[in-house]
Each structure stands twice: as structure tokens, then as C-alpha cells.
Amino acid sequence: MSKTTPGTLMLSKLGIAFDLHPYDYDPDAPRVGLQAAEALGIDAAQTFKTLMAEVDGKPVCVVVPSDCEVSMKKMAAAFHGKSGHMMKVPDAERLTGYKVGGISPFGQRKKTPTAIDETAQLFDTIYINAGQRGLLLSITPDDAARALEAPFVDLTA
């Protein structure tokens, strides 16, 4: 497994500190983020999943705790829209350059407006996909928000 991804390259270029955490990825896990948290022995609320969605037909990225669901209404409001829905897998993979299960908010092929759930601020460190299946990175919430130019907002149902 390579430890270099477009996401890790982006963070390094920005001079943002992070640590890598490889784990045994289970493609059959019903919820990949929860499986990653369990494999690494970390709190699922501290492990954040990257979801690609659309608000009023425009692509957006949301970073939310692995043990929560996104509120489509709150997501749409966060991006000043009326309605939102999850992006289809092929569209998410084409837009980000990553495979589902390994999508990182960092270093995506096309820069997409991003928001991070406000609960990230409860932790000194959060875990987010580094850009490949079986590899998370840990980062401070403020550094993640700075790298992504993303606000902290209430996104969960």
C-alpha cells in the first residue's frame, strides 16, 4: 500500500501536520467508516467519513462522523441551497479521482465546496480517509478546516 496519495501530497505542500494510520480494509463492511474505527481501535465519533453530494445540482463534499447520518436539509442549508442528495458512485469517483471507500476530502481532482460537521471541534484530533482504502490520516480539526477552506456546521440528522 502506498502511503502517498493526492491528499497527503496536498497536506504536505501546505505544511500541515498529519499522521497516517493503515488498517485492514473490509470491502464487505456495511459501514466502512465504522469498520475503520473498529480496526484502529478509535472512537467512531472521532472517525469522519467523506461524502460526495449535490446541492441544487452542484457538487459538494461533507465530512461527518462515521457513526452519524447526514441531514439532507442541513447539508443544503450549509451550502445556501434548497435540496440535496447523495452523488452517484461513478460521479463521485470521477469528480474526486478516488474510489468509494477511499475518498478523501483532501487532494480531490476537482476542488469542491466542503463543510465539516461541527462535532469535529470536540476532538483534539480527527481521523479522515487519506485517499485510499485502508488508510486514514489524523489531523487537528482546525488544520483540516484550513486545508479545505471549510466551515464547521451542523450537518447530521
Side-chain angles (χ1 to χ4, degrees):
M1 168 190 305
S2 172
K3 302 284 195 277
T4 304
T5 68
T8 61
L9 290 173
M10 173 194 167
L11 292 171
S12 294
K13 186 176 171 186
L14 292 172
I16 293 177
F18 62 92
D19 290 310
L20 292 175
H21 306 274
Y23 67 95
D24 289 328
Y25 174 78
D26 178 1
D28 298 321
R31 296 178 70 182
V32 174
L34 294 179
Q35 186 262 324
E38 186 177 320
L40 290 170
I42 51 180
D43 185 353
Q46 194 175 359
T47 308
F48 283 68
K49 58 189 173 185
T50 306
L51 301 174
M52 300 305 295
E54 292 181 2
V55 171
D56 296 346
K58 296 184 176 115
V60 299
C61 176
V62 291
V63 181
V64 298
S66 292
D67 61 350
C68 295
E69 296 296 322
V70 175
S71 162
M72 293 297 142
K73 187 177 238 177
K74 289 178 183 178
M75 180 184 70
F79 294 101
H80 311 291
K82 292 183 179 171
S83 67
H85 64 274
M86 297 309 299
M87 192 178 284
K88 290 183 172 80
V89 169
D91 295 337
E93 292 181 342
R94 188 172 39 259
L95 183 73
T96 64
Y98 295 122
K99 293 283 183 200
V100 166
I103 292 179
S104 177
F106 307 107
Q108 294 185 359
R109 185 177 288 153
K110 185 176 187 315
K111 188 166 170 41
T112 306
T114 302
I116 302 171
D117 189 70
E118 64 188 4
T119 60
Q121 297 171 299
L122 300 174
F123 303 100
D124 293 333
T125 302
I126 56 174
Y127 296 81
I128 305 174
N129 198 293
Q132 66 182 240
R133 295 170 178 165
L135 187 63
L136 295 186
L137 61 81
S138 56
I139 189 170
T140 69
D142 287 342
D143 280 347
R146 187 165 51 94
L148 297 168
E149 300 174 10
F152 293 107
V153 293
D154 179 10
L155 292 168
T156 57

